[in-house]
C-alpha cells in the first residue's frame, strides 16, 4: 500500500529537510502509515511538500538510520518496525556525555523495573521462571569477576523486564541497555573488595526471583526498592550498611 501526502505551503529551502522529517514523523506517530506500507516516491514527496529532492533524500536516509524505513534501489521506501538495538545506539550516544548520566539511568531503572516486576508476578510463564533461574546461576558463577558479573547482573534484570510481557516496557528498557551495562559494571567494581556485599547481592537477587515465582507483587516491590537503596549505599560506602 502506498501513502499519499497532501500538498502544503512552500517554505524556504533551508527548512526543507526538517519539514520532510516532521511530515514523516507525523505519519509514523499518528498512525498514518503501518508496517509494510510504502511512502510516496521521492519526487512526489518533494512536489507535495515544496522541497528539493535532496532534502527528501536526506530526511529519508535519517529515518533509515534509526530503522523505521527501508529503501531498496528503484523502489519507494517501506515502513518497518525499528530494531530496538538501533534505537539504543542512538539513545546511548545522545545521553552518554550528560553529567551524572549513570545516576539518572538508575532513576529510570527504578521506574521501569518496579512496574515490570509487578507485571512479572502475574504474567511470568514457566519459561520466564527458568530464564530467571539460569540468570541467577550466572550471577552466582561470576560473582568474583567485575565485568562478567556486571553483565550477568544486567542479564538477570533484563529477564525480569521480559517476564512482564509488555512490548513497550521491553523496548524502552532495551534503548538504555548500553548505559545499563556501564551502570552494572561500575556497581560491581564498587564492591569488588567486599565479600559481604557480594554475598548479599547473590542472596538479594535470589529473593527477587523467589518473589516472582511466588507471584508476590508486594514483596517483589519491597525487594526492588531495597535493591536500589542498597546500591546507593554501596556508592557512598563501598559496602552494604550494617543496619
Amino acid at each position: 500500500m502506498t501513502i499519499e501526502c497532501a500538498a502544503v505551503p512552500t517554505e524556504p529551502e533551508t527548512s526543507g529537510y526538517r519539514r520532510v522529517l516532521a511530515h514523516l514523523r507525523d505519519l509514523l506517530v499518528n498512525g498514518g502509515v503501518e508496517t509494510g506500507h510504502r511512502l510516496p516516491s521521492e519526487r512526489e514527496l518533494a512536489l507535495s511538500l515544496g522541497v528539493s529532492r535532496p532534502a527528501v533524500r536526506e530526511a529519508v536516509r535519517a529515518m533509515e538510520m534509526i530503522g523505521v524505513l527501508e529503501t531498496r534501489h528503484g523502489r519507494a521506501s517501506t515502513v518497518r518496525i525499528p530494531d530496538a538495538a538501533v534505537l539504543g545506539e542512538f539513545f546511548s550516544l545522545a545521553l552518554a556525555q550528560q553529567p551524572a548520566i549513570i545516576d539518572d539511568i538508575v532513576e529510570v531503572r527504578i521506574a521501569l523495573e518496579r512496574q515490570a516486576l509487578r507485571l512479572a508476578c502475574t504474567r511470568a510463564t514457566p519459561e520466564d521462571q527458568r530464564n530467571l533461574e539460569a540468570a541467577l546461576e550466572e550471577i552466582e558463577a561470576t560473582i568474583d569477576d567485575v565485568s562478567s558479573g556486571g553483565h550477568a547482573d544486567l542479564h538477570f534484570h533484563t529477564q525480569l523486564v521480559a517476564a512482564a510481557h509488555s512490548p513497550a516496557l521491553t523496548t524502552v528498557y532495551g534503548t538504555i541497555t548500553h548505559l545499563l551495562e556501564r551502570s552494572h559494571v561500575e556497581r560491581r567494581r564498587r564492591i569488588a573488595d567486599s565479600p559481604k556485599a557480594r554475598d548479599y547481592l547473590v542472596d538479594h537477587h535470589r529473593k527477587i526471583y523467589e518473589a516472582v515465582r511466588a507471584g508476590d507483587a508486594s514483596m517483589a516491590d519491597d525487594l526492588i526498592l531495597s535493591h536500589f537503596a542498597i546500591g546507593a549505599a554501596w556508592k557512598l560506602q563501598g559496602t552494604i550498611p550494617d543496619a
Side-chain angles (χ1 to χ4, degrees):
M1 178 178 179
T2 301
I3 306 302
E4 296 181 358
C5 72
V8 295
T10 303
E11 293 183 3
E13 179 57 32
T14 53
S15 67
Y17 166 72
R18 287 188 174 85
R19 292 182 65 230
V20 180
L21 273 182
H23 176 74
L24 296 177
R25 179 200 62 212
D26 289 345
L27 282 176
L28 293 164
V29 172
N30 296 328
V33 293
E34 298 177 0
T35 302
H37 286 179
R38 292 195 300 274
L39 296 180
S41 68
E42 183 181 292
R43 178 176 178 278
E44 290 171 322
L45 280 169
L47 287 173
S48 61
L49 296 174
V51 300
S52 70
R53 292 179 68 169
V56 173
R57 199 172 302 128
E58 186 177 358
V60 168
R61 188 175 298 118
M63 289 291 192
E64 289 174 352
M65 289 180 67
I66 61 174
V68 298
L69 293 178
E70 181 179 16
T71 301
R72 296 181 181 178
H73 182 69
R75 297 180 60 183
S77 298
T78 302
V79 179
R80 55 171 294 189
I81 298 175
D83 184 348
V86 175
L87 297 179
E89 295 283 356
F90 171 80
F91 201 71
S92 296
L93 290 172
L95 293 178
Q97 300 306 313
Q98 294 188 19
I101 186 57
I102 295 303
D103 291 335
D104 285 347
I105 285 298
V106 170
E107 292 176 358
V108 174
R109 281 188 62 199
I110 293 172
L112 295 177
E113 291 188 29
R114 285 188 73 187
Q115 178 62 10
L117 261 178
R118 293 187 192 102
L119 295 175
C121 285
T122 59
R123 298 179 179 177
T125 65
E127 181 179 2
D128 292 323
Q129 294 179 13
R130 288 193 294 271
N131 290 340
L132 283 169
E133 186 173 9
L136 178 61
E137 291 173 356
E138 186 181 356
I139 287 177
E140 295 172 344
T142 60
I143 195 61
D144 294 320
D145 185 289
V146 169
S147 180
S148 296
H151 286 88
D153 201 330
L154 172 59
H155 180 61
F156 179 87
H157 286 267
T158 300
Q159 291 301 319
L160 284 177
V161 175
H165 293 279
S166 168
L169 261 177
T170 300
T171 298
V172 173
Y173 198 79
T175 63
I176 59 174
T177 292
H178 293 300
L179 295 173
L180 291 178
E181 286 179 6
R182 194 172 143 197
S183 172
H184 280 285
V185 172
E186 287 191 11
R187 177 181 173 123
R188 285 302 190 92
R189 187 172 289 113
R190 291 172 188 144
I191 63 168
D193 297 324
S194 173
K196 180 181 178 183
R198 296 200 303 274
D199 290 345
Y200 182 91
L201 184 145
V202 171
D203 183 61
H204 209 260
H205 280 91
R206 183 181 294 110
K207 288 178 179 177
I208 292 173
Y209 158 69
E210 290 172 351
V212 173
R213 188 176 62 179
D216 191 335
S218 178
M219 176 62 73
D221 192 53
D222 289 344
L223 286 167
I224 200 67
L225 286 176
S226 174
H227 193 73
F228 286 110
I230 291 298
W234 286 347
K235 180 180 179 181
L236 294 175
Q237 304 175 21
T239 185
I240 61 174
D242 292 330

